[in-house]
Amino acid sequence: EAGVVQSPRYKIIEKKQPVAFWCNPISGHNTLYWYLQNLGQGPELLIRYENEEAVDDSQLPKDRFSAERLKGVDSTLKIQPAELGDSAVYLCASSLSPLASEQFFGPGTRLTVL
Amino acid sequence: GQSLEQPSEVTAVEGAIVQINCTYQTSGFYGLSWYQQHDGGAPTFLSYNALDGLEETGRFSSFLSRSDSYGYLLLQELQMKDSASYFCAVRDGHSGAGSYQLTFGKGTKLSVIP
């Protein structure tokens, strides 16, 4: 069974440019999460989806970040415009349900903003 | 808000036993999870404790004391491949929300030496 797929794995952009990350969760997983992980830190939740509905986006900086999960399967996280401080790893995870104890993480997208 | 404390680094000898402690402060506590992350890799689920006591899975065990807001991960018969970062994560929720959020600690970098 395929795990959580993310692309691209690495992205280097200049500040003020837009960037998008894509995630395909494990088949059948209704809950999808986007996390941000800074170097030497644990993942921090940005947004959680139940099917196509964003049910927890309180930590998402809405002035520049947006996300969508139109058909309740794959998801896209966008930053526009990117700032230097956005350099981090963006992790996508999925779980069978919001009550599941285990989350399955993708390999992440490492973003460098110059 | 939530806060978690775990040692930043631990070094242990191959074949030995190591314990990684985690203390937490949170409201609406439901359980404590542990994740392993190798450099450049995805976090992977190790264990989840909702009730007090010890849970054993192969060489890894996890313990929780809800009254002490404390847990630990025990790794036995250490192998070189166990060198990684280990994150404790508190699972908490909001009354009536029917869902949970994971808040991660900053991680403990374990180095296994020959």
Side-chain angles (χ1 to χ4, degrees):
Chain A
E1 179 180 326
V4 176
V5 179
Q6 290 188 247
S7 68
R9 290 294 316 276
Y10 304 91
K11 188 73 176 180
I12 301 174
I13 61 172
E14 295 195 345
K15 62 181 180 182
K16 300 184 181 180
Q17 294 299 306
V19 65
F21 315 123
W22 178 81
C23 171
N24 193 35
I26 292 173
S27 177
H29 282 197
N30 296 324
T31 308
L32 184 146
Y33 313 79
W34 282 103
Y35 288 89
L36 175 153
Q37 186 174 27
N38 287 304
L39 189 64
Q41 304 290 317
E44 300 172 34
L45 181 69
L46 290 173
I47 189 169
R48 175 169 62 86
Y49 280 93
E50 296 304 324
N51 298 303
E52 66 274 10
E53 183 181 0
V55 294
D56 184 356
D57 62 354
S58 58
Q59 302 302 313
L60 190 73
K62 298 181 184 61
D63 57 337
R64 297 183 300 106
F65 286 65
S66 64
E68 60 183 15
R69 193 185 185 200
L70 292 177
K71 298 182 179 179
V73 181
D74 57 342
S75 175
T76 302
L77 177 69
K78 299 177 181 178
I79 308 175
Q80 182 170 9
E83 297 179 352
L84 294 176
D86 296 331
S87 295
V89 175
Y90 291 83
L91 293 163
C92 178
S94 69
S95 63
L96 278 170
S97 78
L99 303 181
S101 59
E102 180 175 359
Q103 294 183 17
F104 296 81
F105 283 81
T109 297
R110 182 176 296 276
L111 173 67
T112 301
V113 182
L114 303 176
Chain B
Q2 306 95 343
S3 70
L4 296 96
E5 294 289 334
Q6 54 180 128
S8 58
E9 296 183 2
V10 173
T11 300
V13 178
E14 189 177 15
I17 300 173
V18 70
Q19 178 174 312
I20 299 174
N21 298 321
C22 175
T23 58
Y24 59 86
Q25 288 185 323
T26 185
S27 57
F29 176 85
Y30 284 95
L32 188 70
S33 297
W34 288 91
Y35 283 78
Q36 177 193 60
Q37 186 178 32
H38 288 96
D39 284 347
T44 56
F45 175 83
L46 293 176
S47 67
Y48 175 69
N49 295 64
L51 303 176
D52 286 356
L54 190 69
E55 297 278 347
E56 298 181 61
T57 308
R59 295 187 297 113
F60 293 4
S61 302
S62 57
F63 172 83
L64 175 66
S65 169
R66 295 174 68 114
S67 61
D68 295 323
S69 297
Y70 164 75
Y72 65 72
L73 179 69
L74 190 72
L75 297 85
Q76 303 182 74
E77 301 173 14
L78 281 173
Q79 302 176 9
M80 299 299 289
K81 67 178 181 179
D82 297 330
S83 293
S85 291
Y86 292 84
F87 296 90
C88 60
V90 165
R91 191 179 185 197
D92 58 11
H94 302 285
S95 177
S99 63
Y100 305 94
Q101 176 173 303
L102 268 186
T103 301
F104 287 81
K106 293 184 177 181
T108 298
K109 187 174 179 63
L110 172 64
S111 299
V112 180
I113 58 176

